[in-house]
Amino acid sequence: MKKFFCFTFVFVIIASCLSGCNFYSNVSGALAGDSQATPKVEQMMTALAENRIPDAKAFMHPDANNKPDSAYTQMSQYLSGRKTQSVQLININVKNSSGTAGNIRQEESAYKATLSDGTIVYLNVVYLTNDNGSGFSSFQLVLGAI
């Protein structure tokens, strides 16, 4: 019996050492109230509608701030002053990771946005929070969805 407990104890120690130090969780759908991105999406859309490109770039994550100005300009020209009346969260997928690389929270979300003229556009965003900061690593206007 003593050998069994020693073997089990050694096995548990070795298994925990080999598993590393990362803890990962993934939650979908239920965290609509916990979304960090929703207020930022509204502010980003306002900045783009008002052609405030530097303000829109400020919402991007520091690691993803190398996007070309033409991407912001293209979205801004499409919105051309049309403000966002409402933004509705359609889907959310949150990934949390803690480990030797630090704490990471990544929200992948889809939104339905209604513009001031009644036009409906969809948004796919990835909002990243890590040791380098927080912001959008991806912000996409989807004009047509089939």
Side-chain angles (χ1 to χ4, degrees):
M1 190 69 161
K2 186 176 180 182
K3 287 183 181 181
F4 175 74
F5 286 122
C6 288
F7 175 75
T8 304
F9 179 72
V10 170
F11 180 75
V12 169
I13 296 295
I14 291 173
S16 65
C17 289
L18 295 177
S19 68
C21 296
N22 286 331
F23 299 101
Y24 178 78
S25 68
N26 187 8
V27 182
S28 297
L31 293 175
D34 293 339
S35 175
Q36 296 176 350
T38 301
K40 303 295 184 186
V41 167
E42 295 170 356
Q43 295 170 0
M44 176 76 141
M45 289 291 286
T46 300
L48 289 170
E50 295 174 353
N51 200 25
R52 293 183 286 124
I53 303 300
D55 292 344
K57 289 176 92 173
F59 288 108
M60 297 302 288
H61 191 274
D63 294 342
N65 210 4
N66 57 355
K67 308 288 186 201
D69 286 349
S70 61
Y72 299 99
T73 303
Q74 185 179 28
M75 287 188 285
S76 180
Q77 286 175 348
Y78 175 77
L79 293 174
S80 66
R82 296 180 292 176
K83 304 260 176 145
T84 307
Q85 285 184 332
S86 67
V87 175
Q88 177 186 0
L89 180 64
I90 297 173
N91 190 13
I92 185 169
N93 185 11
V94 179
K95 298 175 184 175
N96 291 308
S97 176
S98 298
T100 56
N103 296 329
I104 300 170
R105 177 184 168 98
Q106 180 176 319
E107 289 183 28
E108 297 175 9
S109 307
Y111 293 90
K112 177 182 177 182
T114 305
L115 303 179
S116 57
D117 67 350
T119 303
I120 294 175
V121 294
Y122 292 90
L123 306 166
N124 288 330
V125 303
V126 178
Y127 193 80
L128 178 63
T129 303
N130 61 15
D131 293 341
N132 295 336
S134 62
F136 296 108
S137 61
S138 173
F139 190 93
Q140 300 174 340
L141 284 175
V142 181
L143 302 179
I146 298 175

